[in-house]
Every structure is written in structure tokens, then in C-alpha cells.
Amino acid sequence: LRSPSAKTMRKLDLAGTFGRGRISSKRAAEAVRMIAGAGMDRLAELDLSWNSLGDAGPKALAGRFPGLRALTLYGNDIGPAGM
């Protein structure tokens, strides 16, 4: 995420990367905050399915990717507080 090329990325697929019991939902939300703060303004597609995000994950993403057209969050334990 520190690479200059990350800022020009259009698609990022991290499905199952830090979820499925590997880390807690709190740590998964921290990872999402790092992604959200990486300045990837050109990102159009983001897949964070199956990452144990919980409600904090979507909140960390809100408004951070101006060009985002597709966000996939299947298999995360997101309740009404994360909508």
C-alpha cells in the first residue's frame, strides 16, 4: 500500500485475506482502516468478502474511495450498525 503504484490501482481483491478466523474482527477493521487511508482514489472495485469485518469495517470505508463503483462484502458479519 506504500508503493506509488497502489495509488493508481483500479481493482483490489482481498477476499478471505484476513478473515475466516485468522484474526479478530477488531484486527480486520484495523486492516480496512489502513486500506482506506492508503490514498487509492482511483480504486473502482474492492472485494473484502469473507474477512470477519463486523460493523467497523464498512464504517472505516465510508467516503474514502471517491471512484468506487463496486464493493463486495459477502460473508462478513455486518449488522445494522455497519450499514
Side-chain angles (χ1 to χ4, degrees), residues 5-28:
S5 63
K7 302 209 182 309
T8 62
M9 199 175 301
R10 304 270 307 140
K11 182 176 181 178
L12 182 59
D13 185 347
L14 294 172
T17 302
F18 36 81
R20 294 191 183 192
R22 290 187 190 104
I23 62 174
S24 68
S25 61
K26 182 179 176 183
R27 296 288 300 236

Side-chain angles (χ1 to χ4, degrees), residues 4 14 16 20 27 34 36 38-41 48 51-53 74-75 79 81:
L14 294 172
R20 294 191 183 192
R27 296 288 300 236
M34 286 176 52
M40 295 188 287
D41 294 340
L48 293 170
N51 277 308
S52 304
L53 296 183
Y74 294 118

Side-chain angles (χ1 to χ4, degrees), residues 57-80:
K59 288 179 181 180
L61 295 171
R64 300 306 292 257
F65 300 103
L68 196 65
R69 300 292 177 254
L71 175 62
T72 309
L73 297 170
Y74 294 118
N76 290 291
D77 214 9
I78 300 168

